[in-house]
Amino acid sequence: MSGAQTGVKICGLTEEVGLEACMKYGADWVGFVFFERSPRYISALQAKALASRITGGIRKVGLFVRPDDTVLERVLDQVDLDILQLYTTPERAVQIQAKFGRPVWLSIPVASQADLPRLCTVERLLIEPKPPVHATRPGGNAQQLNWDLLHGWQPDYSWMLAGGLNPENVSQAVAITGAPAVDVSSGVESAPGIKSPDAIARFIHNARSSAVS
């Protein structure tokens, strides 16, 4: 990878201050979590209100965990999401992408190089750590992936690095993995679901200032 600016997604937006910081400092994507067990859960109506404030080219991502069509339809009736980010099977992800006519990102939990997928049948894959054994949610557990697993890995599809990233380590993560894009949630928060504008500013700056050889 060379030259291209690292894409940045700030996930788990629940309030206006965090959203304003994403716009001010140039995030590429903002994520809304439609999974009730998450401390960053947001209703479709709340997301609609926040989404109406978005200006510029920021794209809206909705995160869903094993959703049925009814759940997706209910949210999409309220919020015009640009992308659907899913925790589900690859087969179901393809089905949803075809039915709803929106790009789908699929989360791929990784614990070893053997877990790295060879193929991508949706728009993008999110590479993140496997959740702890007793975790109550599939992602957003602030775990950090062993980045060395991705050193030299160059798939021919779009992907994004997630899990345990923060303003202090994102530059190193990008340098080691060559990630074309990064996703952060708890790493830029002052409290669960409450984003820190200063942390967002530093995260975006550091993600994009990494020297990737």
Side-chain angles (χ1 to χ4, degrees):
M1 179 181 172
S2 64
Q5 176 172 276
T6 307
V8 175
K9 172 174 171 272
I10 310 293
C11 195
L13 272 295
T14 63
E15 36 71 43
E16 292 177 8
V17 172
L19 180 66
E20 295 291 338
C22 291
M23 292 190 287
K24 179 177 180 179
Y25 298 113
D28 298 287
W29 304 277
V30 292
F32 302 117
V33 176
F34 300 104
F35 179 57
E36 292 186 5
R37 286 190 216 160
S38 170
R40 296 159 194 94
Y41 168 74
I42 191 171
S43 71
L45 280 174
Q46 289 170 310
K48 178 181 181 179
L50 285 176
S52 70
R53 303 178 64 87
I54 293 176
T55 57
I58 297 183
R59 283 161 286 174
K60 304 177 294 295
V61 183
L63 185 153
F64 299 86
V65 177
R66 296 178 292 276
D68 59 28
D69 288 355
T70 305
V71 168
L72 292 165
E73 287 164 357
R74 190 182 309 130
V75 172
L76 289 170
D77 280 347
Q78 298 286 343
V79 195
D80 186 21
L81 297 171
D82 300 298
I83 295 156
L84 306 177
Q85 179 180 335
L86 306 177
Y87 288 87
T88 189
T89 64
E91 296 77 16
R92 175 68 173 142
V94 170
Q95 183 185 48
I96 288 171
Q97 184 167 262
K99 173 161 186 174
F100 289 92
R102 283 172 169 79
V104 161
W105 296 355
L106 179 63
S107 174
I108 303 293
V110 168
S112 69
Q113 286 188 325
D115 295 325
L116 294 172
R118 297 179 183 178
L119 301 172
C120 173
T121 52
V122 290
E123 187 188 70
R124 184 187 295 264
L125 298 183
L126 270 92
I127 305 299
E128 62 181 354
K130 286 192 173 179
V133 175
H134 300 296
T136 58
R137 51 188 190 272
N141 294 293
Q143 282 180 287
Q144 183 178 309
L145 186 69
N146 176 5
W147 302 324
D148 289 335
L149 295 176
L150 305 181
H151 185 70
W153 182 61
Q154 294 183 313
D156 59 359
Y157 54 76
S158 296
W159 66 284
M160 176 179 284
L161 179 66
L165 298 175
N166 59 53
E168 283 65 48
N169 68 17
V170 66
S171 181
Q172 182 185 15
V174 172
I176 291 172
T177 66
V182 288
D183 184 4
V184 66
S185 186
S186 63
V188 291
E189 289 182 343
S190 55
I194 306 301
K195 299 298 189 248
S196 159
D198 174 68
I200 287 173
R202 290 187 293 116
F203 184 90
I204 293 173
H205 176 268
N206 293 346
R208 292 179 176 156
S209 61
S210 172
V212 181
S213 58

